[in-house]
Amino acid sequence: MITDERRQRDAVRAHAHLRRYVLPNERVIVATRHHWAQLLEPIATTAAAFLLIGTIVMSTPVDVRPTVGWLWVAWFVVAGRLAWKWLAWRYEWFVATDKRLLLLYGLVVHKVAMMPMKKVTDMGYSRSPTGQVLGYGRFDMESAGQDQALRTIRYVPRPDSTYRTLCDTLFTPGGPRLDDDDDLGGGPTRPADGAPTVVPGRETSEGPRPTTQPIAVQPPNPAPRPPEAQPSDGAHPVSWKPTGASYDPPRSDGAIVPDPFL
C-alpha cells in the first residue's frame, strides 16, 4: 500500500488505467490493490488439483499411465484459472481521493464503481480470523439513503492504517460532509447565518413595504357641540362633525342655505 502522498501520486502516474479515472485536481489519499489473500482460494485449488492428479498417476500401473496422463489437461485448466485470477487481481485497484471513492476492476470489460465522499454517512470495519492472521480487512460503506454501486470493499491491505486515513478524511470537521440540498437533489438552499431573507418581489427583507392611507374613525360618543355651533332660529339644520373630521360643512350666517350648497 502506498501511504506517502508523493508515492501515491507517482503510483497513479505509473499506471495508465489509474490516470484515466483520477482527475488532475484530486488529491489521492489511498491507492492500493487488494490483499494477496484474494488469490488464496485459486492457489489452494490449483495445489490440491496438482497433488490429487499426481497421486492418481503415480498409483496406477505403468502400462495404464499414458491413458491416465490425460488428467493433467484438467490440471492445466485449473492452473489457467489461477493465472486469470492473478491478472484480474493485478488490475483491481481501490483508490480514495479527497472527493470520492473508486473501485477499478474488470480485466476484459473495464468497470469503475464510484461514491462521492460527501455521500458516505458511515463506514463499517470488520476483520475475520483469517484476515487478522494474514493482515486484511473489509469496509462497508453506508450512503445517505441511496443504493450506491460501491458498498463493500474486501481484502483491504493494512486495514487499520487505511481505516484511520479514511475516517480522518470523511469525518474530520471541515472535510467532505452531507448537505441536505445535495441529498434532496437541488432543493431550495438555506440562507447562511445572518444573511437577509429574500422575499419574491422585494430586493431584501428590509425593502419598501406597501402602505395604506389613514382612515378617520368616528368616535362612538361624539363630543357635545359648542354653543357657537348651535343653529340659529330659522336656519336650515346642518349636521355637525367634531374638529379633525375629513369634511368641514359650510357655515351659515343665519339665512337659509339652499340645498344644492350642502
Side-chain angles (χ1 to χ4, degrees):
M1 175 180 173
I2 304 169
T3 55
D4 183 68
E5 185 173 349
R6 182 175 180 180
R7 292 176 58 195
Q8 294 168 353
R9 188 167 55 250
D10 294 341
V12 172
R13 293 174 179 174
H15 295 82
H17 57 284
L18 290 181
R19 294 196 303 267
R20 296 174 187 172
Y21 309 112
V22 178
L23 302 178
N25 59 344
E26 287 183 308
R27 182 172 60 89
V28 179
I29 300 170
V30 175
T32 180
R33 290 188 177 96
H34 291 293
H35 194 272
W36 64 266
Q38 187 175 6
L39 301 174
L40 195 59
E41 182 271 328
I43 291 175
T45 303
T46 305
F50 178 83
L51 293 176
L52 178 61
I53 295 175
T55 302
I56 294 174
V57 172
M58 296 301 295
S59 61
T60 56
V62 179
D63 56 345
V64 185
R65 284 182 183 179
T67 304
V68 180
W70 286 99
L71 292 176
W72 289 110
V73 176
W75 181 84
F76 280 109
V77 173
V78 177
R81 175 177 176 268
L82 173 60
W84 179 265
K85 292 284 186 180
W86 180 80
L87 291 175
W89 172 80
R90 290 281 300 174
Y91 185 82
E92 291 182 4
W93 280 82
F94 170 58
V95 180
T97 70
D98 57 342
K99 298 180 181 180
R100 54 185 178 149
L101 301 174
L102 297 170
L103 185 63
L104 314 177
Y105 62 100
L107 186 59
V108 177
V109 179
H110 297 174
K111 299 179 181 179
V112 179
M114 188 270 292
M115 178 185 292
M117 279 285 194
K118 62 183 178 180
K119 295 293 184 181
V120 180
T121 58
D122 195 8
M123 183 175 66
Y125 171 37
S126 62
R127 296 184 68 178
S128 63
T130 307
Q132 297 178 34
V133 174
L134 298 180
Y136 66 88
R138 166 178 167 170
F139 294 158
D140 295 308
M141 304 294 178
E142 295 185 10
S143 59
Q146 300 179 7
D147 187 12
Q148 297 288 344
L150 192 154
R151 298 185 61 88
T152 302
I153 307 171
R154 299 180 175 87
Y155 299 103
V156 179
R158 302 185 61 184
D160 292 337
S161 60
T162 305
Y163 178 76
R164 290 192 298 268
T165 302
L166 291 178
C167 287
D168 182 66
T169 304
L170 287 170
F171 308 114
T172 300
R177 60 185 178 87
L178 174 65
D179 266 319
D180 294 339
D181 299 336
D182 295 336
D183 185 42
L184 297 177
T189 57
R190 293 174 295 181
D193 295 339
T197 303
V198 179
V199 180
R202 304 181 190 171
E203 296 182 357
T204 61
S205 59
E206 303 298 332
R209 300 181 178 179
T211 57
T212 57
Q213 295 295 331
I215 301 175
V217 180
Q218 181 71 23
N221 298 319
R225 288 181 287 183
E228 61 272 12
Q230 298 292 339
S232 58
D233 296 338
H236 191 278
V238 179
S239 59
W240 176 85
K241 293 184 178 180
T243 306
S246 58
Y247 172 73
D248 187 13
R251 298 181 179 274
S252 173
D253 56 355
I256 299 176
V257 181
D259 292 338
F261 291 93
L262 291 177

